[in-house]
Structure formats: C-alpha cells, structure tokens
Amino acid sequence: MSVDRTETRVAILEDGETVEVYLERRGTRSVVGHVWKGRVGNVLAGMEAAFIDVGLEKNGFLHVDEVVALGVPKSRRMIAKLLKKGDEVLVQATKDPMGTKGCRLTMQLSLAGRFAVYVPYGDGVGISKRLPDGERSRLRKLMRRIAPKDGGVIVRTAAAGVAEDALARDLESLSLLWQALKLRADKAPTPTLLYSEADISLRIIRDLLNENVDEVLVDDKEQHERIHGFLKRTSPTMADRVGHYEDDEPLFERYGAEAAVRSTLSRRADMKSGGYLIIDDTEAMTVIDVNSGRNVGRGKSRLEDTITKTNLEAAEEVARQLRLRDIGGIVVIDFIDMDDKKNRDAVMKALEDALARDRTRTWVADISALGLVQMTRQNRSDGPREVMGDPCERCDSVGFHVADETLAIWAERDLNRALKGIHTGAKKAKVKMDPRVAKGLTEEDGDWLAAVEDAAGLEVDVQSDESLEPGTVKLIEAK
C-alpha cells in the first residue's frame, strides 16, 4: 500500500506478480457502499426502474428487483405499484457512476464488518463458500446463537478460526450502526448521505486480510498506524502482519507494481513465451485477441502444440488482466484456432481454473462456432485505466490518453525521489520537465510547488524542456 499527497494505491501480489490494483485519489472516492436518504425522481414503468436523487451529479438507477417489498415475490413486482415520484427511500450504491450513467442503487442495504455483513432487510445466515466445510459447519452453529433476530447475516472468509466473542462484537457494532442510521434518516432532509463506506486502505484490509495473506506493507507511517490500530481492535492476531516500509526505493517499484499499474494504459499485454494479448475496449464489450508473436515453437514441435501452449498461457494472462484492469461487462476472447477438441477443452479448463481465483463474479460460455470464448465479469467501480486516463476529445471519445492529473502525479513522485538524493545543505534545486506538465503544476495557484518545496525543505525552480517525456522529471543542479 502506497500513500502520498494525491493518491492512495493498493497492489495485491500473488506469487510475486501483481494481480489487482486499486487507486483512490483525493476528492474522488468510490461511492460503492454509501447509504443515502434519497427521493424518487422518475418512475419508468417500461424499464421497471426508477431514478433516485441522492445528491450526486446524476440520479442513481434503481431496478425493481432491488426494491425492498417484503412479502411480494420478485416475479410479481411492478415498479409503478411500489414507488411513485417524490417518495423518500433509503438506498445504497452497488456500482459507481460510469460514463454517462449514474450509480446503481439497491434498497437491500448491507453493512460490512470485519467478519460479517449485516443485511437489515434480509433473513437467514449465509457462510462464505471459500471456507472449508468443517469451518462452515462451526460458524453456522455459532451464528444460530448470536445472529440478530431481525435481518440476515453473511459470514465472511475472514471469520475463519475467529472466536465467538469476536464475532458477537462485530455483529453488535453493525446492529448499532443500523439503529443509528435509522435515527438519522428520520431527522435528515432529502437527499442526505447517511453513511460513507471506509476509504480504500481500510476497506481492503477489512475485506481481504485473512490467513492466506503473508504480509501487508505500508509506506506511510500515519496510514500504517491507522491500519495497525484498526486490526488491534478487530483482529489482534493479524496486526503483526502489517509492516511499515521505510526503504529509499519506492515500494511499488521494489515489487514491480509500478510497471504493472502503468501497463494497464497499453492495449498490449506481453506474455513470457513471446506471445501477447491485444485488449480493446468498446462501448458494448471488451475484446481480447491472442497472438503467438515470437512464440514459434522449438525444434520439431507441431504447430498445433505451439498454438495450444500459447493459448494455455494466454488463458492465465487473460484472467490476470481482467483482475489487474478490473474489466467488467461482456468480454470476448479470440484464442488462436485449435483443431483438436481435447486442446480446446484444456484451454477452457485453464481459463476457468484461473478465473476461480478472481473474487469478482464471472460467467463463461462455451467456445462458439467461430472459436470465440464469451464471458461476463461484474465490476463495481473504475479500474486503474479509467482513473489514470481521459477519453480523447479529438476523436469523439473513441480513443484514450493519459490524463493531465496522472502525468502531474507521476512528475511529483519523480521529483520527490530526485530531491531526496540532494546533498545536505542545498537550498535550491533546478529541475526540468515537459512543458505541458510544468505549466499545469506551476500555475495551479502555486499549491503543488509549495507542497513539494515544504516536503523537501528547499526552493525548487521548474523549467520546461520539450525533449522530455510527459510526466518525467530531470534534476539539473542543486545549490
């Protein structure tokens, strides 16, 4: 986990390879999990949906299946009979606004704790399927004694091996939170944000830290202490797995996460064998094309064997890229054609096995007559590519380019690193960067430059140099 003035970044590594990345910038947090007291704007009977004003730029979208209507089967629900314009409702975001669409909403609220999720309008107890059968049985028996009488409970993977008193405290805090939300909703005007989901750092720790995680490294002292304190209260045995990274080499560069993050801006994803993927995003779907590239086989290997080997490697890499880029919606994969059905089946199994490690829900169809694999993947917020880039105005938003804000963040990190290497006693440093970024950083009311100078303890003279790549910094001299 890397934290700086502008951005919090979290990278998840498996076997030394970055497989997931989460970026959260100041002032642009995800709204997934937020709870509002909203007002029904429009009811569209033809779509069986309503648009809800929650105080954001665009109204949120609420489908009839997400309306809480106790005692009414979903098959018989009609939005026009359940809601009317002007109604006040409690809603929660399940998906961030994307493009021209507002956030997706539900009235089936869920409040997440460290070990359990409380569903006020639900019923029964659900146990994470990622837990072994014996542990699921233990937790089910335990929950029969301590689960709230009202509402439903979902026990999370992090509850493995957790004692009854810790689970009871978690459920009690969630129950108290729900009571507080209801009281606030009774008095609050409409629309009002009633509850904000935790920021990315605590959310990742809460949701993902379990016995399968070897270590968590945080490069910011304040954030490290915050996370350590959270775990001391909720999971004392896990607190020692969180360490403070203090080396001079940036944390993301040390473990290869920096290169992985920037690679998401490229259409091309290379594989170790010499093959590569081309990943194209369209309005309707994401298309992934598998290419053999330099992988032409060795010795007397048959073409079919070389193609199959490339496709097997591609199946693993496709699953990784889906997680790394957080690609959602419809995905079509064009593997290299194989004649042998046994080989096609092997590639499909490799893809399904790789996707089994993905926490996000996926569904894969059989290979089509044209040799294409179709699948869907659920996603709830923007991936790193969307956070770091902007649509291209020159081509009517068909293309994509790195956002000015991203270039400025890269430049600030490079500059901070360069200034750290200046000898003690220097009072002024002269640096060069490309004109586009230099202009933006020096003209923004001087706030950015002042923050850099304050952190470095010296005066910084920024000059333009058209020969430099956008986002890069060159230290000229220090006096």
Side-chain angles (χ1 to χ4, degrees):
M1 185 180 300
S2 179
V3 182
D4 56 31
R5 190 178 64 86
T6 55
E7 194 173 54
T8 297
R9 301 184 295 169
V10 180
I12 297 174
L13 278 67
E14 293 178 0
D15 298 324
E17 190 170 45
T18 305
V19 294
E20 292 180 27
V21 171
Y22 301 90
L23 308 181
E24 187 171 85
R25 290 184 174 169
R26 301 293 181 265
T28 55
R29 278 180 54 184
S30 168
V31 299
V32 172
H34 286 17
V35 177
W36 294 272
K37 180 182 180 180
R39 187 183 302 278
V40 177
N42 297 330
V43 176
L44 305 180
M47 294 178 62
E48 288 294 352
F51 287 94
I52 313 296
D53 177 14
V54 294
L56 298 178
E57 184 180 350
K58 297 183 178 69
N59 286 354
F61 180 85
L62 177 71
H63 189 262
V64 68
D65 289 344
E66 299 296 337
V67 176
V68 171
L70 302 179
V72 181
K74 284 192 174 184
S75 59
R76 297 184 182 179
R77 293 184 184 181
M78 297 177 66
I79 195 75
K81 291 186 177 181
L82 298 174
L83 295 175
K84 64 181 183 298
K85 185 174 181 178
D87 282 353
E88 294 182 343
V89 290
L90 293 186
V91 290
Q92 185 173 38
T94 59
K95 190 172 184 179
D96 279 323
M98 291 186 182
T100 59
K101 301 177 182 178
C103 58
R104 290 292 295 265
L105 300 172
T106 182
M107 291 175 63
Q108 187 65 277
L109 309 183
S110 60
L111 303 175
R114 175 80 177 104
F115 307 118
V117 177
Y118 177 51
V119 186
Y121 299 122
D123 54 41
V125 174
I127 311 291
S128 169
K129 293 182 179 180
R130 293 180 180 269
L131 293 169
D133 292 340
E135 184 61 12
R136 294 186 68 193
S137 178
R138 179 189 78 88
L139 289 169
R140 195 176 297 280
K141 292 178 182 177
L142 191 155
M143 294 304 294
R144 287 172 185 163
R145 296 194 298 271
I146 66 173
K149 294 180 181 179
D150 298 324
V153 174
I154 301 170
V155 182
R156 315 184 74 161
T157 308
V162 173
E164 180 176 337
D165 59 342
L167 280 167
R169 283 196 304 272
D170 201 36
L171 289 173
E172 183 181 6
S173 67
L174 294 175
S175 182
L176 290 173
L177 172 60
W178 171 234
Q179 298 304 320
L181 278 178
K182 289 195 295 182
L183 287 174
R184 188 178 178 199
D186 289 340
K187 301 176 182 178
T190 307
T192 293
L193 176 63
L194 301 175
Y195 169 75
S196 295
E197 177 61 291
D199 62 26
I200 187 69
S201 55
L202 285 188
R203 192 164 71 245
I204 291 294
I205 293 295
R206 182 194 69 194
D207 295 349
L208 301 186
L209 183 59
N210 56 42
E211 293 294 338
N212 296 323
V213 177
D214 296 325
E215 185 180 26
V216 177
L217 293 176
V218 185
D219 67 4
D220 180 76
K221 183 179 180 181
E222 184 178 337
Q223 193 70 286
H224 170 260
E225 291 176 352
R226 181 169 174 246
I227 292 171
H228 201 265
F230 169 74
L231 289 173
K232 279 291 187 181
R233 296 191 305 272
T234 60
S235 305
T237 57
M238 287 288 179
D240 291 340
R241 300 196 186 196
V242 181
H244 182 205
Y245 181 85
E246 300 180 87
D247 291 0
D248 290 336
E249 184 179 8
L251 175 61
F252 267 44
E253 290 187 18
R254 166 69 63 86
Y255 291 94
E258 186 70 48
V261 172
R262 298 200 185 194
S263 74
T264 63
L265 295 169
S266 172
R267 295 173 61 225
R268 175 167 169 156
D270 292 315
M271 299 186 292
K272 294 178 181 177
S273 67
Y276 60 91
L277 309 177
I278 294 295
I279 304 172
D280 284 318
D281 298 313
T282 72
E283 185 72 20
M285 67 187 72
T286 299
V287 181
I288 302 178
D289 184 39
V290 180
N291 296 275
S292 58
R294 294 181 290 103
N295 186 16
V296 294
R298 294 183 179 179
K300 298 181 180 179
S301 58
R302 297 188 309 127
L303 177 60
E304 176 81 3
D305 295 337
T306 301
I307 290 173
T308 302
K309 185 177 179 180
T310 301
N311 282 339
L312 288 170
E313 184 183 14
E316 289 276 347
E317 186 61 24
V318 164
R320 173 177 172 263
Q321 289 295 329
L322 292 176
R323 296 172 66 187
L324 183 64
R325 298 167 185 246
D326 197 15
I327 294 172
I330 299 172
V331 180
V332 176
I333 310 163
D334 184 10
F335 287 104
I336 306 172
D337 290 341
M338 295 169 288
D339 295 327
D340 195 328
K341 183 179 182 303
K342 181 177 68 176
N343 292 333
R344 293 196 296 271
D345 291 343
V347 170
M348 281 296 296
K349 185 178 186 307
L351 177 62
E352 289 167 352
D353 288 347
L355 290 173
R357 299 193 291 271
D358 189 352
R359 293 177 299 107
T360 301
R361 188 180 306 166
T362 59
W363 178 84
V364 184
D366 290 333
I367 294 180
S368 72
L370 297 176
L372 305 175
V373 174
Q374 303 166 68
M375 63 171 289
T376 61
R377 184 177 186 271
Q378 190 179 51
N379 76 334
R380 307 196 305 170
S381 58
D382 286 336
R385 178 184 171 94
E386 289 74 29
V387 173
M388 294 189 293
D390 280 335
C392 177
E393 301 85 358
R394 295 184 180 180
C395 59
D396 197 21
S397 296
V398 174
F400 171 89
H401 65 81
V402 181
D404 288 352
E405 182 183 12
T406 298
L407 294 173
I409 289 172
W410 290 354
E412 181 174 345
R413 290 193 184 121
D414 279 354
L415 181 54
N416 286 334
R417 186 176 181 183
L419 296 179
K420 277 185 179 180
I422 293 178
H423 62 275
T424 305
K427 295 182 179 180
K428 185 174 182 179
K430 183 183 296 183
V431 298
K432 288 186 177 182
M433 58 184 70
D434 76 282
R436 176 173 147 201
V437 177
K439 181 180 179 181
L441 297 180
T442 54
E443 290 185 353
E444 191 180 334
D445 300 325
D447 290 344
W448 175 86
L449 199 54
V452 171
E453 290 177 333
D454 184 59
L458 45 77
E459 183 182 345
V460 180
D461 178 20
V462 177
Q463 300 182 356
S464 298
D465 186 342
E466 294 183 354
S467 67
L468 293 178
E469 288 291 324
T472 60
V473 172
K474 186 175 181 181
L475 178 63
I476 305 301
E477 62 177 346
K479 296 180 181 180

